[in-house]
Amino acid sequence: MIEYTIKRIFAAIPVLFGILLLTFLLLNVIPGDPARAVAGPRADEQTLARIRSEMELDKPLMTRFFSYSGKILKGDFGNSIVTGRPIMTSFKEKFPVTLKLAVMAALISAVLGVAMGIISAVNKGGFIDKLSTVMTVTGISVPIFLAAIVISYVFTVKIPIFASADTTDFSGLLPFILPAATLGMRSAAFLARIVRSGMIEVLNNDYIRTAKAKGLRKSRILFSHALTNALIPIITVIALDFSSYLNGSVIVETIFTLPGIGSFAMNAISQRDYPVIQATILCGAFIFIFINLLTDLIYAWLNPQIRDEMSGKVSK
Amino acid sequence: MTKFAEFLRNMTMAGKFAFLGIVIVILLGILAPAIAPHSPHDQDITRKFKKVDGYPLGCDELGRCVLSRLLYGARLSLTIALFARLLAILVGVAVGLTAGYFGGAIDWTLMRLADIFLAFPSLLLAIAISMVMDSSVQTVIFAIAASGWAEIAKITRASAMELKTKEYVTVAKTFGAGDFRIIMTHILPNAMPVITVVFTMGIASAVLTEASLSYLGMGVPPELPTWGGMVNAGKDYLIAYPAAVFYPGLAIAFLVIVFNLFGDELRDAMDPARRVNL
C-alpha cells in the first residue's frame, strides 16, 4: 500500500508541472501587452512601467516561469492588482467558507442520492421509481444558475424561512443550507441514477438470493450486502463532484453572496484581476489532483484487486 | 441509415420524446428568421416588460420580443454546442487514437496532457480563455472545446488499445499495411459507436457551459440572443417580471433534458447489457 501511494504521488508530479506551466502561459500570452491588459486602457506610462517591473515582464519568459514556480512552491501566489493584498491571505480567509459549502453539499447529495437510488432500485418499475427518474433527469439538466436564482427567490422572498437577520455572519450553518442544497442537487440526481443501476445489478446476484433464502432481514441485505458492493461507483461520483464544486461555487456563491473562493474568483473576473484568476484556477486544479489521488487510494484500500491492477499500470 | 431507422423504432418512450424534442428545437432554430415575429434586436423601451399585441411572450428589459430572442437563441446555443463538441471530438479522437495505438512514450505524454486539462475547473478555464481572447462566437466554441477534448481522448484511447489487439489488425499488419492505414480503416470505424455516444452525451454539458458563460457575461457579445444571456439580463428584474428568467431558463432545461435522454438511449442501444438496469 505504501509503495502504491508513493507511485501515485510521483505520477502526479508531471501533471502538476503541466498545470503550473499552462496557468502561467494563460496570463503571459495575452495578445498585446500583458501590462496593458492588467492595468486597463486608461493607465498612464508610469503605472504601466510599475506593473511591468512587478510582473517582471522585462525578463525572458523562462526566467519568469521559474521565479513564478518558485514562489508558488513557497506558497506565494502574488498580490491582487486591485487591492494589493497577498492572494494567499485572501485564500486563507475564503477557503474555509467554500470548504464548508462543499462538505455540506457532498453530505446532502450523498444522503439524498443514496436514499433515492435505493428506494428506486427496490421499487424498480413502480410509481416511486418513475417519479424519481423524472426528478433525477430534471436535476441533472437544470442549469445551476437557474436553480440558484429560483431557490434564492422562493426561500428568501416568497417563504423567507432561511433569510437570516445578520447577512455578514458566516460562522453558523444557516447561510449555507440553501447554497449547499443547490450545489448538491445535481450530484444527488446523478448519484441516485448510479446507485439505482448499481443496486439493481448487485441485487440480481446469487449471494443476494442466498442471503434472502437464509431469511435475513431485507434491511440487512440492502445495507450490508448490496450497498457495500455498490460502494466504489458511489465514491467515484462523490469524489468527482466534490472537485467540481469549485466550478459550481463560482455561480452559487455569487448568487447567495457567500464570501468563498468562488465569489472571489468571480469578483476577480469582473475586475480583470489576472493574478487572482490565475491563482484560483491553479488552486482548483491542485484540489482536483489531490482529490483524485485520495480517491484512488480509497479504492485501493477498499479493493486489493484494484490496487494490484493499478500498481501494475503505474509501474509500466 | 437503415440501422438508424431501426434504432429510432426500438427506442423507449423517453427516447422518442427526446428525439422529437431535439428535432423540434433544431427546426425552430433553423427556421428562426422565417417564424420569429420580430427582429431579436428591435428594441423599444416603451414596451419594457409589457404584453403588447403581436408579442406572444412579452418583451424584455429593453422592449425586445422575448419569443424572437428565444428562437434566435436556439440557433446560437445549438450552433455553439455542436461546433464545440465537433472541435473537441476532432482533437480528442486524434489524440486518443494516436495514444492508444502507439502506446509507450507517446501514450504517456499525450495522456499526461489530457490529465492536465481534466484537472482544470472547466468553467474557470473557459472563463479565462474567453477573457484572454476577443469576445466572439468562435472564442466561446474554443473555450468549451478546450475543457471537453481530454475526456474524449481518454475514452477513444481505451477503445483503440482494445481494438489494436484484434486479429484483423494483426492480419492487416502482416499484409504490410501502414500505421495510418490501420488506424483509419480498422481502428477508427470500429471505435465510431463509442465516439458517437460520447459526442451526443457531451452536447448537454456543452449547452450548459455555454449558458453558464453567457449568464456570467463571459460568453458571446451581449447583444446576441442566447438563453443564458437572457437569464442574466432578466435576473435583476426577477420580482417585477419573473417571465424574463422563466422562459429562457425553461428552454435551457428542456434542451439539456432532451439531449441527456437521447444520449442515454444511444448508449443503451450500443450496449444492450446496460438496458436491463437503466
Side-chain angles (χ1 to χ4, degrees):
Chain A
M1 189 74 191
I2 293 170
E3 193 196 350
Y4 173 68
T5 311
I6 294 171
K7 268 182 185 163
R8 282 296 285 111
I9 291 173
F10 271 102
I13 289 176
V15 178
L16 288 175
F17 179 78
I19 288 166
L20 206 57
L21 185 65
L22 209 71
T23 4
F24 170 76
L25 286 179
L26 202 61
L27 180 62
N28 283 274
V29 295
I30 301 171
D33 183 359
R36 173 68 70 185
V38 163
R42 282 189 298 270
D44 53 53
E45 268 311 312
Q46 215 177 347
T47 322
L48 281 178
R50 184 176 57 84
I51 289 174
R52 269 192 205 109
S53 77
E54 258 174 32
M55 290 173 73
E56 299 178 320
L57 287 176
D58 40 354
K59 293 181 185 141
L61 203 64
M62 279 311 276
T63 321
R64 272 189 280 152
F65 175 63
F66 284 118
S67 102
Y68 168 75
S69 313
K71 277 184 192 156
I72 300 254
L73 285 179
K74 276 183 264 168
D76 175 12
F77 284 96
N79 298 337
S80 154
I81 296 172
V82 179
T83 61
R85 285 185 81 199
I87 296 171
M88 199 59 194
T89 317
S90 305
F91 267 175
K92 277 183 193 150
E93 285 167 22
K94 288 163 195 301
F95 191 71
V97 174
T98 304
L99 189 67
K100 202 158 144 191
L101 177 66
V103 170
M104 275 181 70
L107 277 177
I108 291 175
S109 88
V111 172
L112 230 84
V114 171
M116 270 171 77
I118 293 178
I119 293 172
S120 300
V122 174
N123 301 300
K124 192 186 160 195
F127 174 72
I128 297 178
D129 184 25
K130 281 184 182 134
L131 184 73
S132 137
T133 306
V134 172
M135 276 168 68
T136 51
V137 172
T138 318
I140 291 170
S141 306
V142 170
I144 195 157
F145 59 85
L146 189 68
I149 293 176
V150 172
I151 289 177
S152 78
Y153 174 69
V154 170
F155 289 101
T156 54
V157 180
K158 289 277 173 190
I159 325 164
I161 43 172
F162 289 103
S164 77
D166 186 359
T167 48
T168 51
D169 178 23
F170 296 99
S171 53
L173 290 181
L174 192 68
F176 289 89
I177 294 174
L178 289 181
T182 314
L183 203 55
M185 180 190 74
R186 192 178 152 82
S187 21
F190 200 68
L191 197 59
R193 285 165 54 125
I194 304 277
V195 170
R196 178 182 178 274
S197 63
M199 287 292 275
I200 290 174
E201 207 173 302
V202 173
L203 287 176
N204 284 334
N205 274 331
D206 287 344
Y207 60 86
I208 298 289
R209 206 183 313 142
T210 314
K212 272 187 198 156
K214 278 198 311 192
L216 285 184
R217 263 179 297 125
K218 205 174 178 182
S219 58
R220 173 92 195 268
I221 297 177
L222 274 181
F223 289 101
S224 71
H225 287 74
L227 194 60
T228 37
N229 279 289
L231 210 56
I232 285 191
I234 293 174
I235 291 175
T236 318
V237 173
I238 293 178
L240 275 180
D241 277 356
F242 197 79
S243 39
S244 80
Y245 287 155
L246 188 69
N247 264 328
S249 74
V250 173
I251 289 168
V252 170
E253 284 179 8
T254 312
I255 294 177
F256 288 98
T257 56
L258 287 177
I261 301 281
S263 53
F264 186 45
M266 202 51 225
N267 263 334
I269 287 161
S270 59
Q271 295 168 329
R272 307 230 146 210
D273 195 342
Y274 286 96
V276 174
I277 299 168
Q278 199 177 24
T280 45
I281 293 179
L282 205 56
C283 176
F286 283 169
I287 293 172
F288 180 87
I289 298 279
F290 176 70
I291 289 179
N292 253 4
L293 192 65
L294 210 63
T295 323
D296 279 357
L297 295 179
I298 294 175
Y299 282 170
W301 178 62
L302 280 177
N303 187 346
Q305 234 174 337
I306 295 184
R307 178 171 66 216
D308 294 344
E309 222 170 81
M310 289 212 272
S311 20
K313 240 181 220 165
V314 173
S315 63
K316 224 191 279 178
Chain B
M1 206 57 214
T2 47
K3 240 184 180 173
F4 188 65
E6 194 186 330
F7 161 68
L8 287 183
R9 251 202 318 279
N10 292 333
M11 271 196 301
T12 59
M13 274 306 284
K16 281 179 183 147
F17 160 76
F19 183 71
L20 192 70
I22 292 173
V23 172
I24 289 175
V25 177
I26 291 179
L27 279 180
L28 288 178
I30 293 175
L31 297 175
I35 51 178
H38 303 276
S39 154
H41 304 292
D42 179 23
Q43 32 178 297
D44 177 357
I45 204 74
T46 61
R47 287 196 301 260
K48 181 177 174 177
F49 298 144
K50 277 190 188 136
K51 261 208 128 138
V52 191
D53 274 345
Y55 293 79
L57 298 181
C59 302
D60 70 0
E61 79 285 357
L62 294 175
R64 294 172 298 197
C65 172
V66 170
L67 179 64
S68 307
R69 283 185 82 73
L70 276 179
L71 290 169
Y72 277 93
R75 200 166 221 228
L76 205 53
S77 294
L78 276 174
T79 312
I80 290 175
L82 288 177
F83 275 95
R85 240 12 231 170
L86 271 179
L87 185 62
I89 283 279
L90 274 179
V91 178
V93 167
V95 169
L97 286 177
T98 315
Y101 182 80
F102 292 106
I106 298 176
D107 180 32
W108 188 89
T109 315
L110 289 175
M111 282 307 105
R112 291 301 79 73
L113 196 65
D115 284 341
I116 292 166
F117 275 85
L118 279 175
F120 281 110
S122 56
L123 187 61
L124 278 178
L125 182 67
I127 290 172
I129 292 176
S130 13
M131 270 182 80
V132 172
M133 291 161 70
D134 302 328
S135 150
S136 70
V137 173
Q138 289 93 313
T139 302
V140 175
I141 290 175
F142 181 74
I144 298 172
S147 55
W149 69 269
E151 190 200 0
I152 300 168
K154 291 241 157 181
I155 294 169
T156 315
R157 168 183 178 263
S159 268
M161 280 173 74
E162 193 196 321
L163 290 169
K164 78 168 177 189
T165 60
K166 296 271 186 221
E167 279 171 1
Y168 51 78
V169 173
T170 321
V171 172
K173 264 187 198 157
T174 46
F175 276 97
D179 292 329
F180 184 72
R181 195 188 153 83
I182 292 177
I183 291 177
M184 293 314 274
T185 57
H186 297 294
I187 311 253
L188 181 61
N190 286 304
M192 254 352 246
V194 179
I195 296 171
T196 318
V197 172
V198 181
F199 175 79
T200 319
M201 298 209 71
I203 295 176
S205 71
V207 170
L208 277 180
T209 311
E210 187 277 316
S212 304
L213 280 176
S214 296
Y215 170 75
L216 294 170
M218 287 288 152
V220 297
E223 67 277 9
L224 292 178
T226 62
W227 295 343
M230 289 171 77
V231 175
N232 184 27
K235 72 169 195 300
D236 299 331
Y237 311 97
L238 193 63
I239 296 167
Y241 195 69
V245 166
F246 178 74
Y247 290 125
L250 199 68
I252 299 168
F254 178 76
L255 190 61
V256 177
I257 286 177
V258 290
F259 271 114
N260 268 334
L261 285 176
F262 188 69
D264 282 355
E265 196 71 29
L266 209 57
R267 186 196 54 207
D268 293 350
M270 300 290 179
D271 183 7
R274 289 189 68 121
R275 174 153 239 153
V276 188
N277 301 326
L278 286 165

